[in-house]
Amino acid sequence: MSEKKSLLDGWNSIPNIITYVRIVMMFAFLYFAGVGGPYGHTDTRSRWIAAILFIVAASTDKLDGYLARRYNQVTELGKLIDPIADKLLICGAFIVLSIQGEIWWWVTILFLVREIGITVMRFFVIDTGGSVIAASSAGKLKTLTQCIGLGMVLLPLWVFLGETSTWWTYYKWISIAIVLLALFFCLYSGAEYLINTFGRPRTKENKTDQEK
């Protein structure tokens, strides 16, 4: 029987360091998004910083996982904190934008229920010896549209388009439409995950591919 790996084994690997940086960027993003105020009207520069931090952090979402698999540096710590870092960034963005009145609270609550519920369920499945379901097409589309929609909402393009212009109004509604599309994929992929988890025999398989 192989010895069980410690949670801290490989804590300083490159993939885990990238995840730590993403977590730090997440906290910095929340700070600047809050300081910037709704649409960046309070402090436009802080809003730009928040938008850039979010886009960079979201863009590197897959990088740590790819490097861990590519160079055989998958660790227990990485499997734990990588999905947590992803959810903290996305959920944090939704909460801040709802507090500032830019996204409806009912949208944010639905996202939070799905993301937190599926994440808790995933860890329960792992703990009881089950296999983590790989990302479905709907799950991948959910992640993509989430990042695009939130990134668009965060960018204070009214600075260039004009705060009262028709173009800015169109841009805001297009960004919200993409967020709502992400919500559809979010709920659909969540239902898929529930069906695939409880509707098939649970076996001890590879647990490194996480459903997003």
Short mmCIF file of all heavy atoms in Angstrom, two decimals, residues 121 135 140:
data_model
loop_
_atom_site.label_atom_id
_atom_site.label_comp_id
_atom_site.label_asym_id
_atom_site.label_seq_id
_atom_site.Cartn_x
_atom_site.Cartn_y
_atom_site.Cartn_z
N MET A 121 -20.07 19.55 -2.81
CA MET A 121 -20.39 18.19 -3.24
C MET A 121 -19.17 17.49 -3.83
O MET A 121 -18.94 16.30 -3.62
CB MET A 121 -21.53 18.22 -4.25
CG MET A 121 -22.07 16.85 -4.63
SD MET A 121 -23.43 17.00 -5.78
CE MET A 121 -24.56 18.01 -4.81
N ALA A 135 -15.06 18.22 -16.70
CA ALA A 135 -15.87 19.34 -17.15
C ALA A 135 -16.65 18.98 -18.41
O ALA A 135 -16.10 18.44 -19.37
CB ALA A 135 -14.98 20.55 -17.42
N LYS A 140 -17.70 24.18 -19.42
CA LYS A 140 -16.64 25.00 -20.02
C LYS A 140 -17.23 26.30 -20.59
O LYS A 140 -16.60 27.37 -20.48
CB LYS A 140 -15.94 24.20 -21.11
CG LYS A 140 -15.15 23.01 -20.57
CD LYS A 140 -14.57 22.17 -21.68
CE LYS A 140 -13.82 20.96 -21.12
NZ LYS A 140 -13.28 20.08 -22.17
#
